[in-house]
Amino acid sequence: MRTPMMAGNWKMNCDLDEAAALAQGVVEGVGSVEGVAVVLAPPFTALDRVASVIAGSNVRLSAQNVYWQAKGAYTGEISVGMLKSCGCAYVIVGHSERRGRFGVPEPDMTDELIRVFGDTDAAVNTKARAALAGGLTPIICVGETLAEREAGLTDAIVRDQVVAALEGMTPEQIGAVVLAYEPVWAIGTGETCEADEANRVIGVIRAAIDSVAGAGAAQDITVLYGGSVKPKSVRELVSQPEIDGGLVGGASLEADSFNELVAVTREVRG
Ligand code: PGA
């Protein structure tokens, strides 16, 4: 049995008071929900504050990124141990806004090509392994760009990203990760991937997991869909057999809409 999950990725939004108020709204709405993992990923600066707000509830804390070294001369970076000390249970790794297949953007690059932070597949793998070694659950994001989809490369890109992200992990470690299929063209655009297509690609992800960890390994792994998940689209998405929940940006920035996503997931999958 897989645990359904609804995770709010707040990205670079919310100062301390805004973060506390948003977390409070989630705790009041869905803080005692069972059968769905409810996860909030505030910016680093608000982790500690949000941890205090969600204490005693069923809501869990995630960071949006991590560095793999434990400590040292890595200006601007944050370690697994630091995140644990803030109360994190999860960390997002490999979000498309952090990957960097296109390198440093030129001023005239389209949004789709702006992947400014340079995380390679190898960096995503190293971060995910460091998270697991330190007791955090990585939420590993994969997904194709619009150009890759139009070129018919979706399945190959997604498969390669999954295999690269899981490289060197034991089957037990692979069993502990969460994956998120996030087609880049659907993130922040209001354009949700068709539910049956998201379901199909997540099937490709599960086949890739099985190819690395052995037949049947994927059946217990939570795989989310992300990319413009909204209250109006969530029911169809989480009704798909392969989709275990959502990784949500925009619709997680208001407690009412995020709570509705959790409630629908609970109703359909809980
Ligand atoms: P979105 O973001 O819901 O605003 O499209 C999803 C994500 O980037 O995880």
Side-chain angles (χ1 to χ4, degrees), residues 7-10 22 26 40 229 248-255 257-258 261:
N9 173 12
W10 296 358
L22 179 51
V26 173
L40 299 180
V229 176
V248 188
S252 73
L253 292 174
E254 289 200 353
S257 61
F258 183 70
L261 301 179

Side-chain angles (χ1 to χ4, degrees), residues 9 11 95 182 186-188 227-228 247-250:
N9 173 12
K11 309 192 179 182
H95 193 284
E182 296 215 310
I187 295 175
S228 298
L247 179 57
V248 188

Side-chain angles (χ1 to χ4, degrees), residues 173-195:
Q173 286 179 316
I174 292 173
V177 307
V178 172
L179 278 136
Y181 171 52
E182 296 215 310
V184 179
W185 49 271
I187 295 175
T189 58
E191 199 177 324
T192 316
C193 184
E194 294 291 334

Side-chain angles (χ1 to χ4, degrees), residues 92-166:
I92 299 168
V93 298
H95 193 284
S96 62
E97 287 155 14
R98 298 215 59 93
R99 286 181 182 261
R101 269 182 287 158
F102 299 97
V104 177
E106 299 296 326
D108 61 351
M109 270 189 170
T110 61
D111 280 353
E112 188 192 330
L113 296 185
I114 296 178
R115 296 178 163 200
V116 284
F117 300 109
D119 279 5
T120 60
D121 281 337
V124 172
N125 171 253
T126 310
K127 289 179 176 193
R129 286 163 60 186
L132 286 165
L136 288 178
T137 298
I139 301 172
I140 302 169
C141 304
V142 299
E144 80 289 355
T145 64
L146 184 59
E148 289 161 349
R149 171 162 285 266
E150 286 174 344
L153 296 172
T154 298
D155 294 11
I157 291 284
V158 164
R159 193 181 304 117
D160 287 354
Q161 287 180 343
V162 171
V163 170
L166 303 181

Side-chain angles (χ1 to χ4, degrees), residues 16 28 42 54 66-67 81 84 104 153 172 195 197 206 210 218 240 250 265:
L16 281 179
E28 282 165 13
I54 65 177
V66 69
Y67 194 57
K84 291 273 290 182
V104 177
L153 296 172
E172 290 70 31
E197 172 62 5
R206 292 196 193 279
D210 281 356
Q240 300 287 327
T265 305

